[in-house]
């Protein structure tokens, strides 16, 4: 198994997923239900909705927070670049 390449957007995403799962111990089903607003990096916590919709607050480690920050930056940069490409194509 290869490690995710964080220089690529999908690699940064995969690394963030793996780091978050390892750091928090949450279930994959809980991870896919997370929103950016559920994360509080200043407190090092994430709000998780588990089985039966029960909410719990879970600590998240520094490495996971760094991986998430890196992914969000790459994702946003990619989205901006795609938006610029779309505008150029429409104006042609």
């Amino acid at each position: 198994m290869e490690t995710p390449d964080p220089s690529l957007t999908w690699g940064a995403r995969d690394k963030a997923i793996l780091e978050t799962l390892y750091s928090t111990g949450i279930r994959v089903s809980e991870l896919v239900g997370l929103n950016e607003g559920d994360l509080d990096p200043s407190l090092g916590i994430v709000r998780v909705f588990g089985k039966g919709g029960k909410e719990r607050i879970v600590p998240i480690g520094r490495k996971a927070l760094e991986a998430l920050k890196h992914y969000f930056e790459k994702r946003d940069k990619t989205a901006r670049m795609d938006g610029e490409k779309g505008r150029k194509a429409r104006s042609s």
Side-chain angles (χ1 to χ4, degrees):
M1 176 189 257
E2 294 181 32
T3 58
D5 181 355
S7 68
L8 304 171
T9 304
W10 64 265
R13 179 206 60 203
D14 290 355
K15 182 175 180 178
I17 288 170
L18 292 170
E19 290 288 353
T20 300
L21 289 170
Y22 180 76
S23 173
T24 61
I26 64 175
R27 299 174 186 89
V28 172
S29 60
E30 294 170 327
L31 177 78
V32 298
L34 292 178
N35 295 308
E36 235 177 299
D38 295 328
L39 183 66
D40 189 337
S42 63
L43 294 177
I45 58 172
V46 63
R47 182 174 46 153
V48 178
F49 293 92
K51 292 181 178 178
K54 294 180 183 172
E55 179 182 336
R56 59 194 171 105
I57 304 299
V58 178
I60 184 167
R62 179 186 49 80
K63 286 183 89 170
L65 288 170
E66 290 170 1
L68 286 164
K69 180 181 178 195
H70 178 71
Y71 167 62
F72 293 150
E73 289 168 355
K74 286 201 82 61
R75 177 200 62 189
D76 294 346
K77 181 179 178 185
T78 301
R80 283 193 304 276
M81 289 172 37
D82 288 347
E84 290 171 9
K85 288 179 188 174
R87 282 192 293 279
K88 286 179 185 176
R90 285 191 295 273
S91 66
S92 298

